[in-house]
Amino acid sequence: MKQKTLFITALVLLALVFAGGALWYRSQQAQEAAATAAKNREALVRPHSPFLGRADARVHIVEFFDPACETCAAFYPLVKQLMANHREDIRLTVRYAPFHKGSDQVVTALEASRKQGKYWQAFEALVDAQPTWVQNHQARPELIWPLLARAGLDTTQLKADMLSPDIARIVAQDLTDATALNVRKTPDFFVNGRPLPSFGWDQLRKLVDEELAATAK
């Protein structure tokens, strides 16, 4: 009888230890998930990130973008139209992910255009004329200067500004954040911090619609 009681007591203790271990493991998982979420929120947007739309918009689209990416160029007018349909409610933030060969130089020129206050003019000039300076999926940065000049930029000043260490740090930070967020292709989108469940325009629009509905007053 005594042996049986000891056996039952041991089983109870084991069960308590197991339950305690399971609770501790779930607690650790929750803490790690919270830490990852916080880290990802920080990685999504930096103070230097350019954006369109109201800063207090209810829905925030973050796009990791490569100016030499054909799909990025195809998506941009669609995203702009989506924003036009919800003028007060959507903000677009652009992050750099220059994965195509030669695109890093184009991104540097694009970022340098901010010093002249003509970032979005440069952005749209490059996107609209992308076929003229992207060949065989590779950027040819030497072909972008006439486009930027026609957009009203001083290209001599632009080339000088491209040498700024601050710009190099911004591009490097965006690439680091892209890696942290597991961005492997462009365009890649996050909507109010949520990644697309799968890639596609319909998926992006559906996610935006869900967030518009969820944040409606």
Side-chain angles (χ1 to χ4, degrees), residues 77-104:
L78 300 176
V79 173
K80 276 193 72 177
Q81 185 58 53
L82 187 62
M83 294 178 69
N85 293 342
H86 302 277
R87 205 170 290 276
E88 302 296 312
D89 298 321
I90 298 177
R91 171 166 56 126
L92 170 68
T93 293
V94 173
R95 306 296 306 277
Y96 303 125
F99 294 153
H100 288 71
K101 185 176 180 180
S103 192
D104 55 338

Side-chain angles (χ1 to χ4, degrees), residues 5-16:
T5 302
L6 288 172
F7 178 71
I8 293 171
T9 302
L11 285 178
V12 171
L13 287 172
L14 281 173
L16 289 172

Side-chain angles (χ1 to χ4, degrees), residues 48-183:
H48 63 252
S49 303
F51 70 89
L52 281 174
R54 292 170 58 102
D56 61 349
R58 294 188 289 121
V59 175
H60 186 190
I61 301 173
V62 177
E63 176 183 0
F64 280 84
F65 167 87
D66 183 333
C69 163
E70 293 179 12
T71 309
C72 294
F75 265 64
Y76 180 63
L78 300 176
V79 173
K80 276 193 72 177
Q81 185 58 53
L82 187 62
M83 294 178 69
N85 293 342
H86 302 277
R87 205 170 290 276
E88 302 296 312
D89 298 321
I90 298 177
R91 171 166 56 126
L92 170 68
T93 293
V94 173
R95 306 296 306 277
Y96 303 125
F99 294 153
H100 288 71
K101 185 176 180 180
S103 192
D104 55 338
Q105 297 177 56
V106 180
V107 160
T108 301
L110 185 57
E111 183 62 25
S113 70
R114 297 173 74 174
K115 292 182 178 291
Q116 298 183 40
K118 296 187 176 180
Y119 179 84
W120 292 105
Q121 292 93 322
F123 186 101
E124 297 204 356
L126 293 175
V127 168
D128 290 345
Q130 189 194 73
T132 68
W133 59 271
V134 176
Q135 298 175 2
N136 298 319
H137 305 289
Q138 295 185 14
R140 293 190 57 189
E142 70 275 12
L143 300 179
I144 68 174
W145 306 114
L147 302 171
L148 296 175
R150 285 197 291 273
L153 284 100
D154 178 340
T155 56
T156 300
Q157 184 61 49
L158 190 65
K159 291 175 182 178
D161 290 337
M162 285 173 64
L163 302 176
S164 167
D166 290 339
I167 291 177
R169 280 193 288 269
I170 285 171
V171 177
Q173 182 66 69
D174 279 16
L175 281 169
T176 297
D177 290 340
T179 299
L181 293 164
N182 201 31
V183 173

